[in-house]
């Protein structure tokens, strides 16, 4: 499952937990009983029995070439300790009243990590990060968009319909934590399609179902255990809960540490929950993500031949811009005012962009500016859009 990018000589950045500022934005008050997360106390990490490559899902070498890794999916494995299970459910009970319905998911909590420091620290756990990076075979980082941290799916109230419809994820890698004792419910099976995303969506669009022999389940969903997958490329769903009051999963999102690797959602229109994520959180989150990626591109430039041979003045300017972008990613302005967000970004980037020392023929440098320009364009369009554009399907199988 080696990185396809490594074969091209692209450096592999180290995995790290980026120190984002923790705040409660307007509308996201903290919970009353919020345990303190502790990696040593709350984790009991085991290894999966099965690790499957994306080639086994039918992806071609050409499709795999842009990816950071060809890793596909694991079997379930132990993740939380008994104390971790208890404290997690203490938190999930308190944040459940904030869950809402979306066209895809019938009862989902977005932004749970903005209400609970426990969920925030779970999402950015160094030990979980090290474990999944090792399994994936490439450097990963917790996804910089905090609205996605500890995304939680609950059993829909009074419904036996699917908990989550067929889809692929808008973040590249996910850890799905099973928070409920399987003896407390029936149904609610995590299902995945043994095939490519394109094949799954073609079947669902044309046949309204998937071939039964290609649909599999995760097996016994032990409480405190988890499944790890490259969810942007493994089609999956959750069947309806036919018996029981509760069935809850918590999803942790990760992205390749290498900013040049395949991006599961390069555009905001496919990434955001337009009708659910408040703009004063969603827009700064996107600015955070793109500032982090741009900082990573500049770090690669400094390691490149152009960077190592560059004039000292230019290297200092690039390093100053990289640091400023990381600072912006740590704590972007908490507002949906586009002028404020645009000015914050321009203040960081314009000194480098306007320098006569910069060659726009350099792909890393020009790519940095292009990505940030596109980010501002997407944020403006997203602010005035209505309704999500995520692709998902209901199915009989």
């Amino acid at each position: 499952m080696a990185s396809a990018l490594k074969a091209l000589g692209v450096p592999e950045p180290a995995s790290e937990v980026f120190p984002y500022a923790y705040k409660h934005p307007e509308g996201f008050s903290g919970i009353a009983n919020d345990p303190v997360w502790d990696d040593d106390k709350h984790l009991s990490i085991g290894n999966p029995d099965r690790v499957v490559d994306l080639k086994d899902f039918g992806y071609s070498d050409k499709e795999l070439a842009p990816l950071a890794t060809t890793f596909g999916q694991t079997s379930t494995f132990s993740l939380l300790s008994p104390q971790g299970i208890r404290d997690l459910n203490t938190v999930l009970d308190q944040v459940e009243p904030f869950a809402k319905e979306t066209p895809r998911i019938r009862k989902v909590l977005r932004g749970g990590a903005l209400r609970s420091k426990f969920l925030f620290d779970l999402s950015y756990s160094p030990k979980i990060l090290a474990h999944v990076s090792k399994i994936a075979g490439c450097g990963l980082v917790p996804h910089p968009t905090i609205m996605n941290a500890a995304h939680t799916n609950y059993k829909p109230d009074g419904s036996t319909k699917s908990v989550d419809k067929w889809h692929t994820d808008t973040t590249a890698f996910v850890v799905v934590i099973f928070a409920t004792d399987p003896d407390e419910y029936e149904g609610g099976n995590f299902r995945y399609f043994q095939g490519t995303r394109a094949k799954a969506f073609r079947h669902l669009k044309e046949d309204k179902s998937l071939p039964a022999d290609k649909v599999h389940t995760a097996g016994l969903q032990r409480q405190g255990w988890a499944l790890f997958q490259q969810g942007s490329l493994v089609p999956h769903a959750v069947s309806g809960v036919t018996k029981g009051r509760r069935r809850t999963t918590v999803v942790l999102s990760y992205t390749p540490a290498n900013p040049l690797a395949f991006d599961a959602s390069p555009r905001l229109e496919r990434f955001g929950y337009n009708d659910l994520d408040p703009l004063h959180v969603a827009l700064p989150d996107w600015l955070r993500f793109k500032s982090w990626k741009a900082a990573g591109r500049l770090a690669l430039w400094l390691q490149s031949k152009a960077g190592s041979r560059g004039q000292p003045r230019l290297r200092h300017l690039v390093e100053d811009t990289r640091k400023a972008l990381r600072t912006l990613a740590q704590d972007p302005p908490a507002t949906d005012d586009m002028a404020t967000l645009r000015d914050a970004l321009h203040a960081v980037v314009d000194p480098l962009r306007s320098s006569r020392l910069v060659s726009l023929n350099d792909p890393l440098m020009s790519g940095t500016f292009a990505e940030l320009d596109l980010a501002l364009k997407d944020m403006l369009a997203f602010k005035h859009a209505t309704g999500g554009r995520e692709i998902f399907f209901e199915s009989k199988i």
Side-chain angles (χ1 to χ4, degrees):
M1 296 173 203
S3 166
L5 289 172
K6 286 182 181 178
L8 301 176
V10 176
E12 180 67 67
S15 301
E16 63 174 329
V17 179
F18 200 72
Y20 302 116
Y22 183 71
K23 296 179 178 180
H24 296 298
E26 182 182 351
F28 288 83
S29 57
I31 59 175
N33 181 13
D34 199 12
V36 176
W37 173 265
D38 185 321
D39 269 12
D40 294 329
K41 182 171 70 174
H42 289 114
L43 294 175
S44 179
I45 300 179
N47 291 313
D49 294 329
R50 175 180 61 86
V51 180
V52 182
D53 195 280
L54 283 174
K55 290 182 180 179
D56 296 320
F57 283 82
Y59 284 96
S60 67
D61 290 340
K62 182 179 180 180
E63 290 171 313
L64 297 173
L67 305 182
T69 174
T70 62
F71 159 78
Q73 187 189 65
T74 70
S75 57
T76 60
F77 57 91
S78 172
L79 185 69
L80 299 180
S81 68
Q83 183 66 50
I85 294 170
R86 288 192 297 272
D87 285 351
L88 175 61
N89 278 286
T90 294
V91 171
L92 295 179
D93 287 345
Q94 294 176 80
V95 295
E96 184 175 2
F98 301 102
K100 297 181 180 180
E101 181 176 359
T102 72
R104 195 194 92 203
I105 310 171
R106 291 187 167 87
K107 189 174 182 181
V108 58
L109 175 73
R110 298 277 296 163
L114 297 173
R115 300 183 185 277
S116 164
K117 186 66 160 53
F118 179 93
L119 292 179
F120 181 90
D121 290 339
L122 163 63
S123 302
Y124 294 92
S125 160
K127 285 192 173 181
I128 298 177
L129 174 63
H131 190 62
V132 297
S133 295
K134 182 178 180 180
I135 292 172
C138 73
L140 300 177
V141 296
H143 203 283
T145 53
I146 298 177
M147 275 300 290
N148 280 288
H151 171 113
T152 303
N153 296 333
Y154 293 93
K155 172 193 174 296
D157 298 324
S159 173
T160 59
K161 293 183 179 180
S162 60
V163 173
D164 198 352
K165 301 175 184 178
W166 284 103
H167 67 285
T168 52
D169 295 323
T170 54
T171 56
F173 299 85
V174 293
V175 170
V176 181
I177 305 172
F178 301 102
T180 309
D181 187 332
D183 290 336
E184 294 183 13
Y185 64 92
E186 294 179 4
N189 295 309
F190 182 97
R191 301 181 294 171
Y192 64 93
F193 175 68
Q194 189 74 36
T196 66
R197 181 181 188 272
K199 287 182 179 179
F201 285 4
R202 184 169 64 250
H203 278 298
L204 290 164
K205 186 175 182 179
E206 296 177 358
D207 307 329
K208 310 302 180 185
S209 65
L210 294 171
D213 63 335
K214 295 293 185 180
V215 175
H216 306 283
T217 70
L220 181 61
Q221 299 171 170
R222 296 178 179 88
Q223 189 177 30
W225 284 47
L227 177 147
F228 175 49
Q229 64 178 2
Q230 193 158 180
S232 59
L233 294 171
V234 177
H236 53 284
V238 179
S239 64
V241 177
T242 57
K243 185 178 180 180
R245 188 180 63 87
R246 182 179 297 276
R247 187 269 184 199
T248 308
T249 54
V250 177
V251 182
L252 313 181
S253 290
Y254 299 86
T255 195
N258 196 318
L260 302 184
F262 169 76
D263 189 343
S265 292
R267 304 297 299 272
L268 181 55
E269 65 179 12
R270 285 288 310 280
F271 189 84
Y273 286 63
N274 307 52
D275 296 331
L276 197 59
D277 294 355
L279 289 173
H280 70 281
V281 178
L283 296 183
D285 244 5
W286 193 247
L287 181 61
R288 183 199 318 278
F289 178 36
K290 291 302 183 177
S291 296
W292 168 83
K293 288 199 74 172
R297 281 178 175 271
L298 294 182
L300 291 180
W301 183 88
L302 289 167
Q303 300 173 44
S304 70
K305 289 183 180 179
S308 61
R309 297 172 181 173
Q311 297 183 33
R313 283 176 57 200
L314 177 58
R315 286 184 56 84
H316 284 306
L317 182 57
V318 171
E319 176 62 14
D320 287 346
T321 305
R322 184 192 71 83
K323 289 179 179 178
L325 282 166
R326 284 174 64 94
T327 299
L328 180 60
Q330 283 179 315
D331 193 14
T335 179
D336 63 355
D337 180 67
M338 280 301 303
T340 300
L341 295 169
R342 182 186 62 242
D343 290 350
L345 182 59
H346 280 314
V348 167
V349 177
D350 282 359
L352 178 62
R353 190 199 295 261
S354 62
S355 172
R356 295 181 179 179
L357 300 174
V358 173
S359 171
L360 294 182
N361 292 323
D362 186 305
L364 279 173
M365 197 70 75
S366 60
T368 299
F369 300 137
E371 184 156 42
L372 293 174
D373 289 342
L374 185 58
L376 289 176
K377 180 180 178 180
D378 280 354
M379 288 160 64
L380 183 61
F382 187 80
K383 182 173 182 179
H384 297 291
T386 57
R389 300 187 184 181
E390 190 178 16
I391 300 173
F392 57 88
F393 296 90
E394 189 77 90
S395 169
K396 295 179 181 179
I397 296 179

